[in-house]
Amino acid sequence: MSRKPRQLQTQIICIFMLTFGIMLLANIYIFSSMRSLIDSMDRAYDGNRRLTEMRQVIDRIQTQLDDYMSTKDEGELNSFYENVEVYKGIIAPLSHSGIMTKEQIRENAIVNLSTEYIRSINKAVLSKKSGDVLQYQEDYLIARNDYDNLTSYMADLNTGSFQDNSFRYEKMYEVMDRSEYIYGFILVMMAALDILLLIILIRRLMKPLQDLVHTANEVGDGNLDITLPETQEYNEIGIVNTAFNKMIVSLKEYIRQFKQSVESESRLREKSIMMEASVKEAQLKYLQAQINPHFLFNTLNAGAQLAMLEDADRTYKYILRVADFFRSKIKNDEGISTISEELKIVDDYIYIINVRYSGEIHYTKDVDEKYLSVSVPSMILQPIVENCIKHGLEDIDREKRVDLSVYGEDENIIISIRDNGVGIPDDAIERILAGRLNNHDQDKMSGGVGLDNVITRLKVFYDSDSIVEITSVGRDMGTEIALCLPKEAKGVADVQDSDSRR
């Protein structure tokens, strides 16, 4: 039964857990001492706050008693009784019995003085109500004297409490001062212990590692007869040493087998060279078939049929749209298309590209249908839309939009393609329209059939330099590329004649 290795990670964790435990115990000791003093001060300050609250209520009671004695106002009397009840509720928890602490004796004294004071003020109020002037004056003086005695006792008690708090604060400060030295001493000791343990651990690790480095260098120089000395450490380093020795043995065996296979491989090399020529010829024919658009269209059609048979509707629809897209590129050898066919290509392209962009491209069309049959050069709209997406919309984080519209304006049919992308600088627009794009610009503006190619073919087809207009008002303001096709051109006039006959 094999032994379970002692992991280096476990050894290091144990060292730090030991030092952490000692630090934790020291912190608990310091914290408990501080917590005890703070709780004691909190209790004392609670007594101060309670005495202050009691004094405020007593002062209100005495003031309301004075006002009632002077005015005999029933409103003051009602407030007086309400405050008396509030005060009774405050002093109720201060009443104690049995063996009491010094603090509880003081609280009992407050309760007794308060009870006497409440009795005397109630008696003074009754005398005032009865109209006996001499009696209520005498009772008022007694109540006033009880008030002075009670407030004086509270003031003395409050002063004593503050003095006790000051003493406790000094004690707490002494504990904190002493704790700083204790904590500093513990930190120094823990750092020394950590360093000592790490030195011991590193020394135990470095010796086998140095042996491993030396042996690896010898193996690297071609000496396969050397082996690592056995280590007493049964941890990761010991496992690595054992594995390294096994690797040397395996390497020797591999070299032996390799030498045996060299002769047989040399005999097969001649046959391999002869077969390589045949394989390259087959690969060339295969690549030629791959780049044949008709072969690609037929392959996609077959894939679409297979997807339909397997009920993969979305895959079937996607492959079918891709097949339609390539078919539109190869079916017209004369280079002439209609606006309707061009829009179909754009629809297919947007569908395909939205599969890639997860539907991020928002595409809208506004087309005057009477211009759908107008003849135009083939493949003029899709490259423009592709250029909008690739160079205008690809790097923006906001909503990506492409708006295409076809409408008549004066003597022209306008095909407008607008995006909300990054825009095109004015100098770049001038170079595009003038056909002065360099190789780098053409690579950047390329979209299968490049934008420069589209502009050139339109100028030749319509024999005009004002067919294309590019508008970009600023950075991140989008771009509009408008094709101004003259209505008197071939294919457009046929639509106008058809409209007039209607």
Side-chain angles (χ1 to χ4, degrees):
M1 183 176 179
S2 61
R3 292 184 299 164
K4 185 177 181 180
R6 299 189 303 272
Q7 296 184 354
L8 291 174
Q9 178 181 350
T10 304
Q11 298 177 28
I12 295 173
I13 290 175
C14 288
I15 292 173
F16 283 99
M17 287 297 292
L18 174 64
T19 55
F20 176 77
I22 297 174
M23 292 286 291
L24 181 63
L25 291 175
N27 282 327
I28 291 174
Y29 165 74
I30 295 171
F31 177 78
S32 61
S33 300
M34 296 288 295
R35 185 74 262 173
S36 177
L37 286 174
I38 291 172
D39 289 343
S40 177
M41 290 190 67
D42 284 343
R43 288 193 298 271
Y45 282 119
D46 284 340
N48 292 132
R49 287 192 292 269
R50 187 167 54 248
L51 286 172
T52 302
E53 182 183 1
M54 291 168 62
R55 178 61 187 270
Q56 291 173 349
V57 177
I58 289 174
D59 289 343
R60 286 200 299 270
I61 291 172
Q62 187 63 36
T63 300
Q64 289 165 349
L65 177 63
D66 293 342
D67 292 342
Y68 178 71
M69 290 298 180
S70 301
T71 62
K72 209 173 181 180
D73 184 4
E74 289 298 325
E76 290 292 338
L77 183 61
N78 291 333
S79 298
F80 166 80
Y81 282 126
E82 288 176 0
N83 282 307
V84 168
E85 292 302 318
V86 171
Y87 186 70
K88 287 180 179 180
I90 294 174
I91 65 173
L94 303 181
S95 179
H96 306 285
S97 60
I99 300 175
M100 293 178 286
T101 63
K102 182 179 178 180
E103 185 177 354
Q104 289 174 337
I105 293 173
R106 291 175 178 174
E107 291 177 349
N108 258 2
I110 292 176
V111 172
N112 294 334
L113 289 173
S114 299
T115 302
E116 187 64 29
Y117 171 65
I118 293 172
R119 186 184 299 113
S120 62
I121 59 178
N122 283 332
K123 187 176 180 182
V125 169
L126 291 175
S127 300
K128 179 66 175 180
K129 286 184 177 181
S130 65
D132 188 345
V133 177
L134 293 177
Q135 184 62 42
Y136 86 71
Q137 287 179 347
E138 180 181 350
D139 292 340
Y140 175 77
L141 291 175
I142 293 173
R144 185 70 189 190
N145 184 60
D146 290 342
Y147 167 77
D148 293 337
N149 291 336
L150 178 58
T151 55
S152 176
Y153 183 79
M154 284 183 177
D156 293 340
L157 193 59
N158 214 3
T159 301
S161 178
F162 274 113
Q163 290 175 349
D164 290 342
N165 290 341
S166 299
F167 176 75
R168 289 190 179 94
Y169 178 78
E170 292 176 359
K171 286 291 185 182
M172 185 177 71
Y173 186 80
E174 291 176 2
V175 171
M176 290 178 62
D177 193 40
R178 186 167 61 252
S179 298
E180 289 181 1
Y181 291 106
I182 296 174
Y183 196 68
F185 175 76
I186 293 174
L187 281 177
V188 172
M189 292 301 296
M190 289 301 100
L193 180 60
D194 279 344
I195 292 173
L196 179 61
L197 293 174
L198 285 174
I199 290 174
I200 295 173
L201 182 62
I202 289 171
R203 284 182 177 178
R204 293 178 61 182
L205 295 177
M206 288 305 296
K207 181 59 172 64
L209 284 176
Q210 289 170 350
D211 293 339
L212 179 61
V213 171
H214 172 71
T215 306
N217 288 331
E218 289 290 326
V219 172
D221 292 336
N223 182 10
L224 298 181
D225 296 326
I226 191 172
T227 57
L228 275 171
E230 294 292 334
T231 178
Q232 300 298 322
E233 293 293 331
Y234 192 64
N235 51 27
E236 284 89 343
I237 293 180
I239 295 173
V240 169
N241 285 359
T242 303
F244 192 82
N245 285 331
K246 291 181 179 179
M247 182 194 71
I248 294 175
V249 174
S250 299
L251 186 59
K252 288 181 181 179
E253 179 64 19
Y254 173 77
I255 292 175
R256 186 186 64 80
Q257 294 177 357
F258 179 75
K259 288 180 179 179
Q260 293 177 351
S261 65
V262 167
E263 294 182 2
S264 59
E265 288 182 2
S266 63
R267 289 192 297 267
L268 295 174
R269 188 174 301 169
E270 184 178 353
K271 293 182 178 180
S272 176
I273 293 173
M274 295 176 62
M275 292 180 63
E276 186 177 358
S278 299
V279 170
K280 286 185 176 180
E281 183 180 358
Q283 288 177 336
L284 178 60
K285 291 181 178 179
Y286 176 71
L287 289 174
Q288 288 173 341
Q290 279 187 314
I291 61 175
N292 188 310
H294 294 279
F295 174 78
L296 180 59
F297 167 69
N298 292 331
T299 302
L300 290 172
N301 256 339
Q305 297 302 319
L306 182 60
M308 181 179 67
L309 292 174
E310 294 178 350
D311 292 330
D313 294 338
R314 292 180 62 186
T315 305
Y316 167 73
K317 183 178 180 182
Y318 176 73
I319 296 176
L320 196 62
R321 296 294 284 267
V322 175
D324 288 345
F325 179 76
F326 279 100
R327 178 172 56 188
S328 65
K329 289 194 170 208
I330 64 176
K331 73 172 185 176
N332 197 333
D333 295 332
E334 297 180 357
I336 302 298
S337 179
T338 65
I339 291 178
S340 176
E341 292 170 338
E342 290 294 295
L343 292 176
K344 177 63 169 58
I345 297 174
V346 172
D347 291 344
D348 290 338
Y349 175 73
I350 289 292
Y351 176 84
I352 295 168
I353 206 70
N354 260 331
V355 172
R356 173 185 170 189
Y357 284 93
S358 301
E360 289 184 356
I361 308 301
H362 297 273
Y363 171 61
T364 62
K365 289 192 303 184
D366 183 10
V367 179
D368 190 337
E369 294 184 356
K370 70 182 180 181
Y371 299 117
L372 291 178
S373 60
V374 171
S375 297
V376 293
S378 62
M379 293 302 297
I380 60 170
L381 299 186
Q382 183 271 334
I384 298 175
V385 173
E386 182 177 355
N387 190 77
C388 291
I389 294 173
K390 183 176 180 181
H391 301 289
L393 303 178
E394 193 169 60
D395 295 326
I396 68 172
D397 295 327
R398 59 184 181 274
E399 179 188 34
K400 299 176 173 63
R401 296 193 59 84
V402 175
D403 302 315
L404 190 151
S405 57
V406 179
Y407 58 94
E409 182 179 277
D410 298 332
E411 301 301 320
N412 296 316
I413 299 172
I414 307 298
I415 304 178
S416 170
I417 301 172
R418 180 191 300 271
D419 66 71
N420 65 334
V422 298
I424 304 177
D426 292 339
D427 57 340
I429 293 175
E430 292 178 3
R431 291 198 303 273
I432 293 170
L433 295 178
R436 290 187 284 105
L437 292 175
N438 54 37
N439 291 335
H440 176 67
D441 288 331
Q442 289 179 3
D443 290 340
K444 288 182 65 178
M445 302 303 294
S446 175
V449 178
L451 182 60
D452 183 58
N453 178 279
V454 171
I455 295 174
T456 301
R457 289 190 295 117
L458 286 171
K459 288 180 178 180
V460 172
F461 186 85
Y462 292 102
D463 193 21
S464 173
D465 291 333
S466 57
I467 296 297
V468 181
E469 294 180 2
I470 302 177
T471 306
S472 182
V473 297
R475 178 71 179 175
D476 291 327
M477 298 295 290
T479 302
E480 180 184 14
I481 300 179
L483 309 183
C484 304
L485 311 181
K487 290 182 178 180
E488 65 271 11
K490 182 180 179 181
V492 181
D494 296 338
V495 176
Q496 290 176 313
D497 293 341
S498 174
D499 290 342
S500 63
R501 285 195 295 271
R502 289 178 188 172

